[in-house]
Amino acid sequence: MIIDSKERLPILPSDKEETYPVLPLKTGVLFPNMMLTIQVGRQENLRLIEDCKSGKKNFIASYSPSKYAEAEPSPVHRVGVLAVVRDIRTGPGNSEIVTIEGIKRVVISKIIDTEPFIVASASYLQPQDKIPKAVRTKVDEVISVVKEITGLDPTYSPEQLNVLRMNRDDPSMAADTVASTYHFPLEAKQTLLETVNLEIRLERLLDYLNAELSRVVTMHNINANVQKQMEEEQRKHFLRQQLHEIRKQLGEDFAEEKEAARIRNIIKSMAKLPPEVVARGTIEADRLSQLSTASAEYGVTKNYLEWLLALPWGKCKPEDYSMSEVEKVLSTEYYGPVSLKEQILQRLSVRKLLGGVNEGPTLCLIGAHGTGKAAIARAIAKAMGKEFLRISVGGISEVSEIKGTPRTFLGAMPGKIIRALRDAGSCDPVMLIEDIDYFNIDNDSSVNMALLEAIDNRVNSRFLDNYIGVPFDLSKVVFICSVRSYEEIPEQFIPRFEIIELPGYIEKEKIVITKRYIIPKLLKKHGILKTELNFADKLLARIINHYTMEAGLLGLSQQLEKICRKVALEKVSNLRKRWTVSEKNLESYLGPPVYIPEKAEIQPEIGIAAGLAWTGAGGDLMFIEGLKMKGEGQIFTTGSLGEVMKESIQAAYSYVRSKADMLGIDFADFSDFDIHIHFPSGAIPKDGPSAGVTVCLVIASVMAERPIRNDIAMTGEITLRGKVLSVGGIKEKVSAAFRAGIYNVAIPKENQKDLKDLPKEILRKSKFTFLERVDDLFELCLLDFTPSSYTLEKIFQEEIKKAKKKKPRTTRGKTKAARSRGKKK
């Protein structure tokens, strides 16, 4: 592509146009009789230089703007310069440094070829014959402006002025010399190259020179002001030193010297300071002694030294704890699964063997509010004899909040990690980092990596805070993170976390924890004696079931606080001396119940079964309903269901349909009737495959018209072949059934191992059925169903089909009667 000129070009008439290679110039504009050194790296341009090297062949050098860098071939301006190669040197990479010299202006007519390089036909420009007197006047003006610029800007050589004066009689040469030498924009240089008329060219050159003169004058004034300020600062420094010497000779007191001496003594007394800290502290103390107490820099430097020396450099407590003592403390301070405590003991054993260094991934506790995440961390700190720190990173969205602000900023201070360590006074505390799920809401990866740099044991031995500026060893800190759910952990953290999930507490566990830990704490917090307020087990169970719906204990603790506050008010008012909160007077303290728990059905019914579900608040009983109606064999689902649950319903329907003969179902019913499956509590979203066996049983009950036992609850995922697969949350689900008064529970056989975490009372009273196939559930739960009746049912179905052929409109009632007669036989 050729970029046309805006100027009128006086082309020299010729019978034949010459053909030349074309070299696009990206970094400069070549003028006639001027030298230009460029770096050539593109292959087509290297081939052109090879073809024209040593001055053997001329070529056209034309400016190609950088905004067309992606175009192939590179666009060039129509007006260029006929040039010759003068020197070639090897450049970086595979490039070459080439020096070229311009000969005269040419006009590119058209592009003839682009391979192996650009080739174009060109014509020469006709030079201006007569030079008007006004042109010589403008040359003098150009020389005058160049003289001013050269005198102000040392980057321009004075020799350029002499060269310009030598070319005074050749205005075109003089204009090209100035245009090539001075710092004009490349577009401006191309405009001057295209302007053949000398008068217009010199006018434009003067405009560009005046703009350059304005820039040079501005820079000169700025440099002069800076130089003046530097001289003034040097003068003040000299006078300050003189004043310092005078005060010293007079024996006056120097506060800054005393402060600097005090800091130096502190540095010497701290034997465990790393060499880097000693060096930095000494330098800053020396600076402090040279500053005036009235200067702002004095306060900034002193504050920095106080932070630097207040950190617990090397202050670690010995790892002299015994594992038996640690196990005892964990059992006393935390009530939870034994497997979780064993995992923590294993980690602490490794730390003890390594001398207090953490080599494994960072511990991350996952659980709902009130499931004991902070209690575990506090128990670990107590067992190890370490300080316990609890910080929240929720809402943090900037790197400076983690790694501190550089000292040059106003109000600079260290990051949250370093501030917490200064408050702890030791370099190996147990630090619980909470609210990871609310950390860095904008998901800025740099903020995530800043926190990971602090807690990752692979790299935190030299953690660099931007304010302190000296590496601090965080490898001895026991970092524990907490989050509500696995999905809310930032992606960068997952590979460096060791996940420990804290299951929700069942009712029995909540009662034990409340009586052992929460009630004594609340009584002390509200100034009430143990003998003054009494809670019964049944009362606590009622509060748990009717006033809270959670996996943890936070809501229960809040409800008990309400009771304690009312008791405290009555105690202050001297109304009574003893209080007993019972089920009868509970509503006077907490108001009417907030939740109504699910209960088992009174009698067996067709199309309703008790399923077991896991929620963020623990286990729950979920009654799944179904009915059939005249239709076209479709299946409808309601209850705010997710995709996985809908697919599970479809799989259950297909399996029941495949077992129609065994269940005594007329196969034609699947095309004559629609089925509607409903999950109550439609406002609550539901998903997951664990309701598969329950849905399968409901569909079988509806189609076979047989009631389902009301004293059994079930859970499990099914496959198209009728196998029952394992599910999660068994502990919570079984507890929900027990709480609702259902003691018969059907679970997948693969989940039998999960029953070991259940309380002994539930294991003693409950009866478990372990399912391998859904057929076992049919025999267990569908009333009036025995697999041995399959043969008779098949005979009856054949008789019914024969009857239908004789009387097409056979009623459903006759089919039922036939079934009844078959059963009597």
Side-chain angles (χ1 to χ4, degrees):
M1 186 178 76
I2 300 175
I3 304 172
D4 287 325
S5 172
K6 297 179 181 179
E7 305 295 327
R8 180 178 175 275
L9 303 174
I11 300 175
L12 187 67
S14 175
D15 295 336
K16 182 182 179 182
E17 289 185 337
E18 299 290 337
T19 301
Y20 297 102
V22 179
L23 177 65
L25 301 178
K26 298 287 186 182
T27 58
V29 177
L30 180 65
F31 286 86
N33 301 310
M34 297 291 120
M35 294 281 192
L36 181 64
T37 301
I38 59 175
Q39 182 179 357
V40 180
R42 300 182 67 165
Q43 292 301 317
E44 61 269 23
N45 296 336
L46 288 172
R47 289 193 291 267
L48 187 150
I49 296 298
E50 181 67 22
D51 187 58
C52 301
K53 68 180 179 180
S54 303
K56 294 178 182 178
K57 189 176 179 181
N58 296 339
F59 61 91
I60 299 174
S62 179
Y63 172 58
S64 177
S66 58
K67 62 182 179 181
Y68 299 111
E70 300 297 329
E72 290 291 344
S74 299
V76 293
H77 278 272
R78 186 172 294 279
V79 179
V81 175
L82 196 62
V84 64
V85 176
R86 293 301 183 195
D87 183 45
I88 300 176
R89 288 171 291 161
T90 303
N94 296 321
S95 65
E96 292 182 349
I97 307 299
V98 183
T99 301
I100 60 177
E101 181 181 2
I103 300 174
K104 58 181 173 181
R105 289 173 170 83
V106 293
V107 178
I108 299 174
S109 300
K110 62 180 180 178
I111 303 295
I112 297 175
D113 200 357
T114 58
E115 293 294 338
F117 40 74
I118 302 175
V119 178
S121 60
S123 303
Y124 299 113
L125 286 170
Q126 185 174 5
Q128 188 172 349
D129 296 332
K130 295 181 181 180
I131 301 175
K133 187 177 180 181
V135 170
R136 300 189 182 278
T137 303
K138 290 189 181 296
V139 171
D140 292 336
E141 291 181 15
V142 168
I143 294 174
S144 176
V145 176
V146 167
K147 183 178 179 180
E148 289 185 51
I149 295 175
T150 307
L152 292 174
D153 193 345
T155 60
Y156 294 115
S157 173
E159 293 297 326
Q160 295 173 0
L161 185 61
N162 297 331
V163 174
L164 191 58
R165 285 171 177 166
M166 290 172 62
N167 294 322
R168 186 175 179 274
D169 295 333
D170 188 351
S172 179
M173 180 71 174
D176 289 345
T177 302
V178 175
S180 176
T181 306
Y182 279 75
H183 303 155
F184 300 150
L186 296 180
E187 295 290 346
K189 290 188 176 186
Q190 179 64 28
T191 302
L192 292 174
L193 179 65
E194 295 175 357
T195 308
V196 179
N197 186 291
L198 287 174
E199 190 172 355
I200 298 175
R201 193 195 310 176
L202 288 169
E203 284 180 1
R204 291 176 177 175
L205 182 61
L206 277 172
D207 291 339
Y208 296 141
L209 283 172
N210 287 327
E212 178 67 9
L213 178 61
S214 299
R215 185 192 69 81
V216 170
V217 169
T218 303
M219 293 301 300
H220 178 76
N221 292 336
I222 292 173
N223 292 334
N225 291 336
V226 171
Q227 183 67 25
K228 185 178 179 180
Q229 291 179 3
M230 291 177 62
E231 292 174 355
E232 182 67 21
E233 289 295 328
Q234 289 177 352
R235 188 182 70 84
K236 289 181 179 179
H237 178 72
F238 178 72
L239 293 175
R240 195 177 291 114
Q241 289 297 111
Q242 286 185 325
L243 179 61
H244 176 78
E245 188 62 29
I246 292 171
R247 291 175 63 187
K248 187 175 180 181
Q249 293 294 332
L250 293 175
E252 294 184 0
D253 188 18
F254 296 96
E256 57 271 18
E257 282 288 348
K258 283 189 174 181
E259 184 65 22
R262 183 184 70 83
I263 291 173
R264 291 191 191 98
N265 292 333
I266 293 175
I267 293 173
K268 291 179 181 178
S269 64
M270 298 176 70
K272 294 184 179 181
L273 281 181
E276 296 166 312
V277 179
V278 174
R280 176 60 65 87
T282 304
I283 292 172
E284 296 296 331
D286 293 342
R287 289 185 67 251
L288 190 68
S289 64
Q290 304 297 324
L291 298 173
S292 171
T293 54
S295 68
E297 191 176 358
Y298 177 86
V300 172
T301 305
K302 183 181 177 183
N303 188 44
Y304 170 75
L305 285 168
E306 289 176 351
W307 268 106
L308 185 68
L309 300 177
L311 293 178
W313 302 98
K315 294 181 180 178
C316 300
K317 295 185 178 180
E319 304 285 329
D320 55 356
Y321 48 84
S322 65
M323 299 314 297
S324 59
E325 187 65 26
V326 171
E327 184 177 4
K328 182 179 178 181
V329 173
L330 288 176
S331 301
T332 305
E333 298 293 326
Y334 174 72
Y335 186 89
V338 177
S339 57
L340 187 150
K341 298 175 185 177
E342 289 178 353
Q343 197 169 350
I344 293 173
L345 287 172
Q346 292 166 6
R347 289 178 60 91
L348 297 183
S349 300
V350 174
R351 177 185 171 91
K352 185 177 177 66
L353 292 174
L354 294 176
V357 178
N358 300 311
E359 290 292 342
T362 304
L363 188 64
C364 180
L365 306 176
I366 298 179
H369 294 299
T371 51
K373 298 185 292 293
I376 293 175
R378 189 179 291 105
I380 292 173
K382 184 177 180 180
M384 298 175 67
K386 309 285 186 182
E387 296 291 332
F388 176 64
L389 300 178
R390 189 174 181 178
I391 65 173
S392 172
V393 295
I396 289 180
S397 58
E398 294 182 2
V399 175
S400 59
E401 298 183 57
I402 301 294
K403 300 190 66 177
T405 312
R407 290 171 55 196
T408 54
F409 285 72
L410 184 65
M413 63 187 305
K416 205 157 193 173
I417 303 292
I418 295 296
R419 295 202 304 269
L421 288 176
R422 186 196 68 166
D423 297 339
S426 65
C427 67
D428 60 344
V430 175
M431 186 178 295
L432 176 63
I433 301 178
E434 297 183 296
D435 302 323
I436 295 288
D437 37 353
Y438 298 112
F439 172 71
N440 188 20
I441 301 298
D442 298 331
N443 198 24
D444 185 352
S445 59
S446 60
V447 182
N448 290 340
M449 295 308 297
L451 180 59
L452 193 61
E453 187 179 340
I455 65 176
D456 190 352
N457 297 321
R458 299 175 301 174
V459 295
N460 64 0
S461 59
R462 291 184 63 82
F463 175 73
L464 184 64
D465 186 274
N466 293 329
Y467 180 81
I468 300 300
V470 180
F472 190 92
D473 186 5
L474 295 179
S475 62
K476 296 183 180 298
V477 180
V478 181
F479 287 106
I480 301 175
C481 298
S482 69
V483 68
R484 290 181 303 174
S485 65
Y486 182 85
E487 291 75 16
E488 294 174 337
I489 302 176
E491 183 180 355
Q492 292 91 339
F493 289 71
I494 293 176
R496 295 307 305 162
F497 275 172
E498 180 180 346
I499 306 297
I500 295 182
E501 294 193 20
L502 304 184
Y505 295 115
I506 61 175
E507 179 184 318
K508 193 70 177 180
E509 292 173 332
K510 288 182 178 181
I511 293 174
V512 173
I513 295 171
T514 302
K515 295 178 71 175
R516 187 180 297 180
Y517 302 103
I518 297 179
I519 290 178
K521 179 182 176 181
L522 291 179
L523 293 178
K524 184 179 179 180
K525 179 179 177 181
H526 292 83
I528 302 172
L529 300 178
K530 293 182 180 180
T531 57
E532 294 176 338
L533 180 59
N534 181 42
F535 295 98
D537 286 359
K538 291 185 178 180
L539 173 72
L540 295 176
R542 183 169 180 79
I543 296 175
I544 292 168
N545 294 325
H546 292 80
Y547 291 89
T548 65
M549 183 178 287
E550 57 179 352
L553 295 159
L554 185 61
L556 176 59
S557 178
Q558 292 172 350
Q559 297 297 331
L560 293 175
E561 280 193 62
K562 291 181 182 180
I563 297 174
C564 290
R565 285 196 294 269
K566 289 191 176 184
V567 170
L569 176 61
E570 294 180 2
K571 182 178 179 180
V572 171
S573 304
N574 295 320
L575 298 179
R576 280 188 290 173
K577 292 185 178 181
R578 290 178 60 86
W579 290 264
T580 299
V581 183
S582 62
E583 294 183 76
K584 294 181 179 180
N585 62 0
L586 180 61
E587 292 191 13
S588 64
Y589 289 94
L590 299 180
V594 180
Y595 304 103
I596 300 175
E598 296 280 2
K599 294 294 182 184
E601 294 292 326
I602 300 175
Q603 61 185 8
E605 294 184 27
I606 296 175
I608 183 167
L612 296 173
W614 182 92
T615 66
D620 197 9
L621 203 63
M622 179 172 60
F623 289 98
I624 301 175
E625 303 171 350
L627 57 83
K628 69 175 182 179
M629 49 200 169
K630 281 287 185 179
E632 299 176 352
Q634 298 183 16
I635 183 166
F636 303 99
T637 58
T638 53
S640 189
L641 309 183
E643 289 299 321
V644 176
M645 187 167 279
K646 290 179 180 178
E647 292 173 0
S648 181
I649 293 172
Q650 188 61 49
Y653 177 75
S654 298
Y655 182 76
V656 173
R657 190 171 180 178
S658 70
K659 296 293 181 179
D661 291 341
M662 186 189 75
L663 294 168
I665 303 172
D666 186 355
F667 197 79
D669 291 352
F670 289 99
S671 57
D672 295 339
F673 291 91
D674 291 339
I675 298 178
H676 187 165
I677 302 297
H678 177 66
F679 289 70
S681 301
I684 302 174
K686 308 168 191 70
D687 205 356
S690 63
V693 295
T694 315
V695 173
C696 192
L697 184 64
V698 169
I699 295 173
S701 170
V702 168
M703 297 304 295
E705 296 185 354
R706 290 188 172 94
I708 301 173
R709 286 174 55 185
N710 64 320
D711 62 342
I712 187 170
M714 64 210 71
T715 183
E717 177 184 356
I718 66 164
T719 67
L720 277 177
R721 294 179 296 169
K723 290 185 178 181
V724 181
L725 305 182
S726 62
V727 294
I730 291 296
K731 175 183 174 183
E732 291 81 2
K733 292 177 178 180
V734 173
S735 300
F738 186 83
R739 187 169 59 245
I742 298 177
Y743 303 117
N744 295 305
V745 182
I747 63 174
K749 189 172 183 179
E750 295 178 5
N751 288 114
Q752 186 174 357
K753 60 182 183 302
D754 298 327
L755 298 177
K756 61 181 180 180
D757 294 330
L758 286 170
K760 294 180 180 179
E761 182 183 357
I762 295 179
L763 292 175
R764 186 175 65 253
K765 291 186 177 181
S766 299
K767 181 181 179 181
F768 298 97
T769 302
F770 303 108
L771 305 174
E772 292 186 32
R773 299 188 57 82
V774 187
D775 302 350
D776 303 334
L777 193 65
F778 294 156
E779 184 177 357
L780 177 69
C781 299
L782 289 178
L783 300 181
D784 301 328
F785 173 73
T786 56
S788 59
S789 65
Y790 168 66
T791 306
L792 292 176
E793 287 290 338
K794 186 174 181 180
I795 295 172
F796 295 147
Q797 292 295 335
E798 291 175 354
E799 291 179 356
I800 293 171
K801 288 179 182 178
K802 292 177 181 178
K804 283 183 178 180
K805 290 181 180 178
K806 296 178 181 179
K807 297 180 181 180
R809 301 186 59 85
T810 303
T811 62
R812 184 71 184 174
K814 291 182 179 180
T815 304
K816 290 183 179 179
R819 287 179 181 167
S820 300
R821 288 195 298 273
K823 289 177 182 176
K824 289 178 181 178
K825 291 178 183 179

